[in-house]
């Protein structure tokens, strides 16, 4: 009896929570509606409904900057009504996409956690007349299923970094390679760049381990190499956090790093603090991964709204690689995220 | 004959499982590479003396897990269930510490408060979250895993929200002492912290009735109540103590890198903490417990991780190896297997005795 009562209570509280949740949602939707006529009259058109599926903004500084950029751009002042869904898991993202399709958004903006498994939901979207725009990450699906894809060319990021490393003309290359979450586009592209160059130049990759974007795992991996007594002179970490973890292990073992030191440290993403490490010559290289995609997306949507054709489906953003010897304070302020 | 008894006594003891696991790992490493056990005294980049070597690495990185294992053992014993929110709670504790130390500026030149204040505030917050879990379990009789699922799900978002989703970085070198080395002391600070925690809990169990009360509540709640104990309070106490452990472990984690990453900090550590308790031979359904075995279990897990890293096993495959350990444990502790094994032991013994008689 007691148990039944308890479960009934629990159910009741869950329903209550859901109602509160929905209540809030309604409020959010309602409030703008109250002002909407005025706003709409001024602009003379309705708000464009966009459903944005992104990775968890806490994943990294890059993602935080990306989410912030999108949130700041897709506002009612700019003529958008945006809903956001976050997950690092592909299946949860697909479920969110299905929900957005059911809700009848005008545009579905998608940064996929994984490249596979998107066909059916995108077909549903197409059937419902929803335009899909991919940002930041590509997927393995037919080009017909989306209107445009705004991406960083991860392969090129890896290639740029590897070419930079080659230009350093080190006597020998013994590389610790710390990878991101296996299977993500960033990991694949950045790994490919290094692997290709290492094969061509005969570089020695001592270890190739995934730290899953986690600084502490990277620290343990490098610590293990130090304990083992292996000689290495390059750390190629696929994001800044992991490079930071690697450097923490180096510091503990009194291995110098940075410009003109024992170990060359390379990171990606251009976090502000990472660029400052470059400025202080503690690191050597940081590859940019441009998180500011909202304006690119907006441009596409404007074109589609005006009935224009998108000539080139894949739009590649401009990205740089920074060298510690050339970086300036201006670069840190402009490109740091 | 006496030796035989001693051996039997050892095998029968609960702490035998983690010790055996430790020995197997140590033996494996000894055969593969005797240099595994080498410890050297060097200096770090600031010129202070530091010890290094695989064993130091194991003790260093196993610290957080060992500290968590203390609290997790108590929670398991008292409430017959596990707290799966410790990883998320560590993110909260770390985030609180950074918030107190950084204020609204994410890149402070000088700290806004003494480091110890940041730590103590985190302890209080973590104790509150522990009490929250404890109340759900003790008074609302929700299964621990379900009750702590709430914080497991929400914790990392709360942690991010505390710092407005920004990632503070502390540049003061003193903050990194807890996760690294204090100048002049060559032993990793994390090991010292873990040792202090272990000594504290040993003293508490020696001079208070915590162990007795926790076990009696875990074994039979109503008879504990009939004997004048308050099972609810004792369960909550266990969760609050786990909260303290979480705060300490979280502090070490943020100190290691002087920053935080809400979604990956202490990821999946709850599973390792539970595994440590299981490795220690403790019944996950509560009741009697052996604190030392749990702590040893934590170091076994780190030993395994470090060994796998040493052999360049892809780190993505680590969970699979841990799974093998879990399977072995579960099978070995299953009643049917236990019966068979003890039957086998008896047979061997009687065989031996027969021979001796002849």
């Amino acid at each position: 009896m007691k148990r039944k009562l308890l479960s009934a209570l629990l159910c009741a509280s869950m329903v209550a929570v859901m109602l509160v949740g929905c209540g809030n949602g309604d409020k959010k939707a309602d409030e703008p509606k109250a002002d909407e006529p005025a706003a709409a009259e001024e602009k003379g058109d309705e708000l464009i409904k966009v459903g944005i599926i992104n990775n968890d903004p806490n994943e990294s500084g890059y993602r935080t900057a990306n989410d912030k950029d999108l949130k700041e751009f897709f506002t009612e002042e700019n003529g958008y009504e945006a809903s956001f869904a976050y997950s690092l898991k592909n299946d949860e993202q697909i479920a969110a996409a299905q929900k957005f399709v059911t809700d009848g958004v005008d545009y579905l903006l998608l940064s996929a956690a994984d490249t596979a498994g998107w066909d059916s939901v995108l077909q549903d979207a197409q059937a419902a007349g929803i335009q899909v725009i991919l940002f930041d990450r590509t997927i393995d699906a037919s080009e017909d299923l989306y209107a445009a894809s705004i991406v960083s060319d991860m392969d090129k990021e890896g290639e740029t970094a590897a070419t930079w490393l080659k230009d350093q003309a080190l006597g020998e290359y013994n590389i610790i390679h710390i990878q991101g979450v296996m299977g993500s586009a960033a990991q694949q592209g950045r790994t490919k760049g290094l692997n290709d160059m290492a094969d061509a130049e005969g570089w020695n990759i001592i270890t190739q381990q995934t730290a899953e974007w986690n600084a502490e795992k990277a620290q343990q991996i490098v610590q293990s190499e130090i304990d083992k007594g292996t000689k290495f002179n390059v750390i190629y970490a696929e994001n800044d956090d992991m490079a930071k973890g690697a450097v923490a292990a180096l510091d503990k073992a009194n291995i110098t790093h940075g410009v003109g030191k024992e170990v060359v440290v390379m990171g990606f993403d251009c976090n502000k603090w990472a660029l400052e490490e470059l400025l202080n010559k503690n690191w050597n290289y940081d590859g940019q991964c441009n998180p500011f995609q909202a304006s690119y997306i907006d441009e596409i949507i404007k074109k589609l709204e005006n009935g224009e054709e998108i000539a080139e489906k894949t739009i590649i953003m401009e990205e740089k690689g920074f060298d510690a010897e050339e970086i300036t304070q201006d670069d840190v302020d402009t490109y740091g995220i | 004959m006496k030796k035989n008894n001693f051996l039997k006594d050892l095998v029968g003891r609960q702490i035998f499982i983690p010790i055996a696991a430790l020995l197997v790992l140590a033996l494996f490493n000894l055969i593969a590479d005797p240099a595994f056990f080498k410890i050297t005294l060097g200096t770090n980049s600031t010129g202070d003396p530091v010890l290094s070597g695989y064993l130091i690495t194991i003790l260093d990185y196993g610290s957080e897990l060992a500290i968590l294992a203390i609290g997790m053992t108590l929670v398991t014993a008292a409430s017959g269930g596990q707290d799966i929110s410790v990883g998320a709670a560590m993110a909260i504790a770390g985030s609180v510490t950074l918030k107190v130390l950084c204020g609204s500026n994410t890149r402070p030149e000088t700290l806004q408060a003494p480091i110890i204040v940041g730590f103590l505030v985190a302890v209080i917050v973590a104790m509150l979250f522990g009490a929250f879990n404890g109340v759900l379990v003790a008074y609302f009789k929700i299964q621990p895993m379900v009750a702590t699922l709430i914080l497991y799900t929400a914790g990392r978002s709360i942690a991010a929200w505390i710092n407005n989703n920004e990632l503070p970085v502390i540049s003061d070198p003193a903050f990194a002492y807890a996760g690294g080395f204090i100048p002049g002391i060559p032993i990793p600070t994390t090991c010292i912290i873990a040792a202090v925690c272990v000594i504290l809990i040993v003293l508490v169990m020696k001079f208070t009735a915590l162990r007795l009360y926790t076990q009696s509540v875990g074994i039979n709640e109503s008879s504990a109540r009939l004997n004048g104990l308050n099972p609810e309070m004792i369960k909550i106490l266990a969760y609050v103590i786990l909260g303290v452990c979480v705060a300490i472990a979280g502090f070490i984690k943020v100190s290691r890198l002087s920053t935080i990453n809400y979604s990956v900090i202490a990821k999946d550590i709850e599973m390792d903490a539970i595994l440590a308790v299981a490795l220690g031979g403790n019944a996950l359904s509560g009741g009697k417990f052996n604190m030392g075995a749990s702590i040893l279990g934590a170091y076994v897990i780190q030993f395994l991780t470090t060994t796998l890293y040493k052999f360049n096993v892809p780190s993505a495959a680590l969970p699979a190896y841990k799974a093998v350990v879990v399977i072995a444990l579960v099978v070995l502790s299953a009643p049917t297997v236990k019966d068979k094994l003890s039957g086998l032991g008896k047979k061997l013994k009687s065989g031996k005795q027969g021979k001796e008689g002849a």
Side-chain angles (χ1 to χ4, degrees), chain A residues 6 58-59 64 207 209-210 214-216 219-221 224-225 227-228 241 244 251-252 254 273 276, chain B residues 43-45 50 54 57 60-61 107 140 160 165 253 257 259 261 263-264 302 309-310 312-315:
Chain A
L6 183 74
N58 306 329
E59 175 205 47
T64 312
T207 189
Q209 284 274 33
T210 174
N214 186 338
E216 208 210 323
Q219 190 181 2
Q220 281 206 41
I221 290 166
S224 172
E225 292 306 317
D227 287 342
K228 227 185 276 181
D241 277 0
K244 188 182 173 86
D251 280 339
K252 252 190 197 175
N254 197 19
W273 54 263
E276 278 164 14
Chain B
T43 52
N44 65 5
S45 58
V50 296
Y54 276 113
T57 304
D60 183 357
Y61 289 98
R107 307 288 311 279
F140 294 89
N165 237 334
K253 274 265 190 283
L257 296 156
T259 183
N261 186 327
S263 63
V264 299
Q302 186 58 42
Y309 274 134
K310 176 182 153 56
N312 275 339
V313 173
S315 52

Side-chain angles (χ1 to χ4, degrees), chain B residues 109-196:
Chain B
E109 294 296 318
T110 53
L111 296 181
Q112 305 291 315
I115 293 169
I116 188 77
V117 173
F119 170 63
L120 289 177
V121 174
V123 170
I124 292 166
V125 171
M127 281 167 79
L128 285 175
F129 277 109
F132 169 76
N133 282 337
V135 167
L136 285 182
V137 171
Y139 286 105
F140 294 89
K141 311 277 181 223
I142 303 174
Q143 280 196 6
M145 212 166 268
V146 179
T148 53
L149 189 62
I150 300 169
L151 203 55
Y152 172 82
T153 318
R156 291 179 189 276
S157 304
I158 296 173
W161 168 77
I162 289 170
N163 271 310
N164 298 326
N165 237 334
E166 302 195 27
L167 307 168
V169 181
I170 291 181
S171 44
D172 189 338
F175 184 69
Y177 289 166
F181 294 88
I182 298 172
I185 301 175
I187 302 165
T189 319
T190 53
C191 300
I192 300 172
I193 296 174
V196 169

Side-chain angles (χ1 to χ4, degrees), chain A residues 70-84:
Chain A
L70 291 171
K71 275 210 172 116
E72 278 172 2
F73 197 93
F74 289 101
T75 57
E76 277 152 38
E77 289 84 55
N78 287 338
Y80 290 102
E81 185 189 327
S83 321
F84 291 84

Side-chain angles (χ1 to χ4, degrees), chain B residues 6-94:
Chain B
F6 170 74
L7 213 73
K8 205 184 135 206
D9 194 39
L10 189 74
V11 173
R13 273 177 189 232
Q14 202 186 338
I15 206 161
F16 174 71
I17 304 175
I19 287 182
L22 213 56
L23 284 179
V24 168
L25 281 168
L27 199 68
F28 176 72
N29 277 303
L30 190 67
I31 294 167
D33 177 17
F36 189 88
F37 297 95
K38 205 174 77 180
I39 294 175
T40 49
L41 184 67
T43 52
N44 65 5
S45 58
T46 48
D48 296 306
V50 296
L51 288 172
S52 63
Y54 276 113
L55 288 183
I56 299 293
T57 304
I58 292 166
L59 289 175
D60 183 357
Y61 289 98
S63 307
E64 290 103 315
L65 203 54
I67 293 167
L68 285 179
I70 295 173
M72 192 64 88
T73 309
L74 286 176
V75 162
T76 302
S79 66
Q82 287 73 39
D83 183 342
I84 58 167
S85 69
V86 289
M90 276 169 73
I92 295 176

